mmCIF file of all heavy atoms in Angstrom:
data_model
loop_
_atom_site.group_PDB
_atom_site.id
_atom_site.type_symbol
_atom_site.label_atom_id
_atom_site.label_comp_id
_atom_site.label_asym_id
_atom_site.label_seq_id
_atom_site.Cartn_x
_atom_site.Cartn_y
_atom_site.Cartn_z
ATOM 1 N N GLU C 32 2.110 -5.286 8.275
ATOM 2 C CA GLU C 32 1.961 -6.137 9.436
ATOM 3 C C GLU C 32 2.927 -7.344 9.420
ATOM 4 O O GLU C 32 2.826 -8.284 10.253
ATOM 5 C CB GLU C 32 0.529 -6.681 9.583
ATOM 6 C CG GLU C 32 -0.492 -5.563 9.874
ATOM 7 C CD GLU C 32 -1.861 -6.054 9.945
ATOM 8 O OE1 GLU C 32 -2.204 -7.111 9.368
ATOM 9 O OE2 GLU C 32 -2.663 -5.461 10.685
ATOM 10 N N GLY C 33 3.817 -7.351 8.392
ATOM 11 C CA GLY C 33 4.803 -8.502 8.297
ATOM 12 C C GLY C 33 4.311 -9.676 7.570
ATOM 13 O O GLY C 33 4.940 -10.658 7.539
ATOM 14 N N LEU C 34 3.115 -9.556 6.981
ATOM 15 C CA LEU C 34 2.578 -10.687 6.117
ATOM 16 C C LEU C 34 3.215 -10.730 4.749
ATOM 17 O O LEU C 34 3.544 -9.631 4.204
ATOM 18 C CB LEU C 34 1.028 -10.532 6.037
ATOM 19 C CG LEU C 34 0.263 -10.453 7.312
ATOM 20 C CD1 LEU C 34 -1.191 -10.164 6.984
ATOM 21 C CD2 LEU C 34 0.372 -11.788 8.120
ATOM 22 N N GLY C 35 3.411 -11.919 4.221
ATOM 23 C CA GLY C 35 3.910 -12.034 2.861
ATOM 24 C C GLY C 35 2.871 -11.611 1.883
ATOM 25 O O GLY C 35 1.676 -11.767 2.087
ATOM 26 N N ILE C 36 3.264 -10.971 0.762
ATOM 27 C CA ILE C 36 2.407 -10.550 -0.320
ATOM 28 C C ILE C 36 2.596 -11.451 -1.506
ATOM 29 O O ILE C 36 3.702 -11.508 -2.053
ATOM 30 C CB ILE C 36 2.615 -9.094 -0.627
ATOM 31 C CG1 ILE C 36 2.349 -8.214 0.491
ATOM 32 C CG2 ILE C 36 1.791 -8.678 -1.888
ATOM 33 C CD1 ILE C 36 2.615 -6.724 0.354
ATOM 34 N N VAL C 37 1.488 -12.088 -1.956
ATOM 35 C CA VAL C 37 1.551 -12.886 -3.156
ATOM 36 C C VAL C 37 0.442 -12.363 -4.077
ATOM 37 O O VAL C 37 -0.663 -12.140 -3.663
ATOM 38 C CB VAL C 37 1.233 -14.365 -2.791
ATOM 39 C CG1 VAL C 37 1.270 -15.224 -4.093
ATOM 40 C CG2 VAL C 37 2.270 -14.904 -1.801
ATOM 41 N N ARG C 38 0.793 -12.200 -5.354
ATOM 42 C CA ARG C 38 -0.175 -11.683 -6.398
ATOM 43 C C ARG C 38 -0.567 -12.886 -7.270
ATOM 44 O O ARG C 38 0.287 -13.559 -7.880
ATOM 45 C CB ARG C 38 0.408 -10.576 -7.160
ATOM 46 C CG ARG C 38 0.712 -9.317 -6.340
ATOM 47 C CD ARG C 38 1.184 -8.212 -7.172
ATOM 48 N NE ARG C 38 1.709 -7.115 -6.378
ATOM 49 C CZ ARG C 38 0.946 -6.128 -5.907
ATOM 50 N NH1 ARG C 38 -0.321 -6.078 -6.179
ATOM 51 N NH2 ARG C 38 1.483 -5.163 -5.134
ATOM 52 N N ILE C 39 -1.886 -13.197 -7.292
ATOM 53 C CA ILE C 39 -2.337 -14.243 -8.132
ATOM 54 C C ILE C 39 -3.412 -13.731 -9.050
ATOM 55 O O ILE C 39 -4.457 -13.198 -8.595
ATOM 56 C CB ILE C 39 -2.952 -15.358 -7.204
ATOM 57 C CG1 ILE C 39 -1.845 -15.930 -6.321
ATOM 58 C CG2 ILE C 39 -3.559 -16.429 -8.036
ATOM 59 C CD1 ILE C 39 -2.329 -16.897 -5.291
ATOM 60 N N ASN C 40 -3.188 -13.786 -10.339
ATOM 61 C CA ASN C 40 -4.087 -13.300 -11.316
ATOM 62 C C ASN C 40 -4.534 -11.878 -11.035
ATOM 63 O O ASN C 40 -5.698 -11.500 -11.217
ATOM 64 C CB ASN C 40 -5.319 -14.197 -11.423
ATOM 65 C CG ASN C 40 -4.949 -15.700 -11.809
ATOM 66 O OD1 ASN C 40 -3.963 -15.854 -12.474
ATOM 67 N ND2 ASN C 40 -5.708 -16.611 -11.329
ATOM 68 N N GLY C 41 -3.631 -11.028 -10.583
ATOM 69 C CA GLY C 41 -3.901 -9.622 -10.314
ATOM 70 C C GLY C 41 -4.396 -9.390 -8.930
ATOM 71 O O GLY C 41 -4.540 -8.197 -8.542
ATOM 72 N N ALA C 42 -4.739 -10.398 -8.189
ATOM 73 C CA ALA C 42 -5.287 -10.165 -6.798
ATOM 74 C C ALA C 42 -4.201 -10.310 -5.811
ATOM 75 O O ALA C 42 -3.210 -11.072 -5.979
ATOM 76 C CB ALA C 42 -6.354 -11.304 -6.602
#
Side-chain angles (χ1 to χ4, degrees):
E32 295 181 332
L34 302 173
I36 297 175
V37 180
R38 297 182 190 274
I39 299 175
N40 300 330

